[in-house]
Amino acid sequence: MPDAVCLDRSLPVAIIGGGPVGLAAAAHLIERGLRPCVFEAGSEPGSAVREWRHVRMFSPWRFNVDAAARRLLEAEMWKAPDADAFPTGADLFAVYLAPLAAALAKAGAGLRYNAKVIGVSRRHHDRLREGQRAASRGRDAAPFVLHLAAPDGTIQVVEARAVIDCSGTWASPNPAGAHGLPAPGETANADRIAYGIPDVLGISRSNHAGATTLVLGGGHSAMNAILDLVTLARQAPGTRIMWAFRRPLADINFGGGEADGLAARGALGAKAKALIESQQVQELAPFLVDRIEREGDRLLVHGDRGGNADTVLTDRIIVATGFRPDLSWLGEVRLTLDPAVQTTPALAPLIDPNLHSCGTVRPHGEAELRHPDEPGFYVAGMKAYGRAPTFLLATGHEQVRSIAAHLSGDTAAARRVELVLPETGVCSTQRPVSVSAITGGNCGPSSAVEPALRPTVSSACCGVIPHETSRRSP
């Protein structure tokens, strides 16, 4: 363990979240001789993944299996899926996450389910207290303390030498309101509002068949919802679809099309755009939601449409406006965050969608994810990107590989780049960005990173899961 971090090697490394990135982190730690303990709020590994099991990812299996996890699974005679096949959420759980959790448990990792972490701090140190400044006795050397809410209502306390928060953002979707706050009436009418990608062809079919649905959002989650609703409309007469964007239609990025290295991702945007052009979907662009009111069994959505007040009537609303990190239970941790993106200052300029959507964001790991005032604490996975919607699952694997290497003392491996991602076919710059902020100016290649190793992002929400989705399961 590096200097200035808790040196009590009898304590485990705590991993918060038992999804794909959390389990990958455990696999890397096990491989390096460290003892991980995974705390999952759900009753099984990848509980959030199970909630979008009906959705097919737009990246094939080759980008969705972590290298250390694969080595651990193959030692258990695991049969890898077709590298070029596209898994659904259900496939990801059954074929990969469930067997990985079993292999980790057999290898000595601690996995605790129904263990929701509700607070993290340092032993005998709140956020303010510095303690004695000697490296062996000060705040940095104190173990982390985690409070866990058990199903019976009791609070359990565990200690850890380091913490990797892989809890994701699934449970904290962005609201419908245009100001970043829930629109007045949004909470009161929650029974008619869904977030993310509801299963409109399955369990939620009766809510949308023959009804009018307003979809909010311009990313891949919204595109998936729109495509499913159009399929439903062909089956159920009277089904009507409205699609609201916060920007003018000319400013909407539907992706790189045939230039996208992930064909399914490129096709998703092309299909969604074609639905608008063929008028199978009524577009509202721009439309900013101000408030929501009940009118009988329907909803009146009041908003701003190009500077003018407007109101639309709908039966249901699907809010697919992205997700945000839940930082409420990290109040005693000394986080260092960019004020806009809510990620580390070193990472923020690389992923801020207000700055760019280039495919030249350099690979990043422990160095970019560290919080200088809280050594040994990291946020990895989708939550590491704060509010930026440009995350891919393979990026999370690279993050935890680097973090595990650093925690084991292997600085060279932590700094090494081991990430190859496909191009998005999209590159645009909204305003100038300094060369120090991104490697390569105005979307050009970086001299510091080999072009083949440059990761790619898309401002149109390429997302990890659930953003990284393209097609419905048959």
Side-chain angles (χ1 to χ4, degrees), residues 87-425:
T88 62
D91 296 333
L92 192 67
F93 172 81
V95 177
Y96 177 55
L97 296 181
L100 177 56
L104 284 167
K106 184 176 180 180
L111 283 85
R112 295 182 56 178
Y113 302 111
N114 297 309
K116 182 177 181 180
V117 178
I118 59 173
V120 180
S121 188
R122 294 272 192 176
R123 182 201 286 169
H124 299 159
H125 292 77
D126 61 17
R127 184 188 185 97
L128 177 63
R129 186 170 184 269
E130 191 70 40
Q132 300 186 43
R133 294 184 179 275
S136 63
R137 293 175 292 176
R139 177 186 174 86
D140 293 352
F144 287 96
V145 174
L146 290 78
H147 280 198
L148 282 62
D152 62 3
T154 60
I155 303 298
Q156 300 177 359
V157 180
V158 298
E159 292 188 346
R161 61 193 295 201
V163 176
I164 308 175
D165 179 2
C166 303
S167 59
T169 57
W170 174 256
S172 51
N174 287 327
H179 318 301
L181 303 172
E186 183 173 349
T187 303
N189 293 292
D191 61 321
R192 290 188 168 268
I193 302 175
Y195 296 84
I197 313 173
D199 188 2
V200 303
L201 294 176
I203 192 171
S204 299
R205 180 187 178 93
S206 62
N207 292 336
H208 302 275
T212 298
T213 299
L214 171 65
V215 177
L216 306 176
H220 288 125
S221 293
M223 294 178 191
N224 273 280
I226 289 291
L227 290 173
D228 280 355
L229 285 168
V230 168
T231 299
L232 180 62
R234 293 168 182 159
Q235 302 170 356
T239 302
R240 182 169 171 247
I241 309 154
M242 295 184 289
W243 192 358
F245 303 85
R246 292 179 175 176
R247 293 176 290 162
L249 192 60
D251 295 341
I252 303 302
N253 183 349
F254 286 95
E258 293 182 358
D260 196 317
L262 292 177
R265 180 173 58 189
L268 173 63
K271 290 178 182 178
K273 184 178 181 181
L275 292 174
I276 291 178
E277 293 174 343
S278 63
Q279 298 184 348
Q280 296 182 63
V281 174
Q282 179 187 352
E283 55 87 7
L284 306 173
F287 185 83
L288 304 175
V289 176
D290 289 330
R291 70 182 191 279
I292 301 171
E293 296 178 348
R294 198 78 165 226
E295 185 174 275
D297 291 333
R298 309 192 76 189
L299 298 176
L300 276 175
V301 183
H302 302 274
D304 182 305
R305 191 170 185 183
N308 299 310
D310 194 8
T311 301
V312 297
L313 185 64
T314 187
D315 297 293
R316 298 278 175 172
I317 300 174
I318 295 177
V319 182
T321 54
F323 297 79
R324 60 181 59 177
D326 180 5
L327 305 173
S328 63
W329 47 275
L330 295 176
E332 295 305 317
V333 178
R334 292 181 175 178
L335 300 178
T336 306
L337 297 175
D338 176 84
V341 187
Q342 290 186 302
T343 184
T344 56
L347 182 58
L350 308 181
I351 63 175
D352 186 346
N354 293 308
L355 298 177
H356 64 95
S357 63
C358 303
T360 53
V361 180
R362 65 184 174 88
H364 62 276
E366 185 277 335
E368 290 81 7
L369 297 173
R370 68 175 60 169
H371 294 269
D373 295 321
E374 203 69 273
F377 180 88
Y378 300 93
V379 179
M382 185 66 196
K383 188 174 180 179
Y385 267 44
R387 299 198 182 199
T390 49
F391 184 83
L392 286 167
L393 183 52
T395 307
H397 296 158
E398 173 69 0
Q399 289 177 344
V400 296
R401 181 206 63 79
S402 176
I403 292 170
H406 178 77
L407 292 177
S408 72
D410 190 345
T411 302
R415 293 177 177 174
R416 190 167 59 238
V417 172
E418 296 184 8
L419 177 64
V420 179
L421 291 176
E423 295 290 342
T424 63

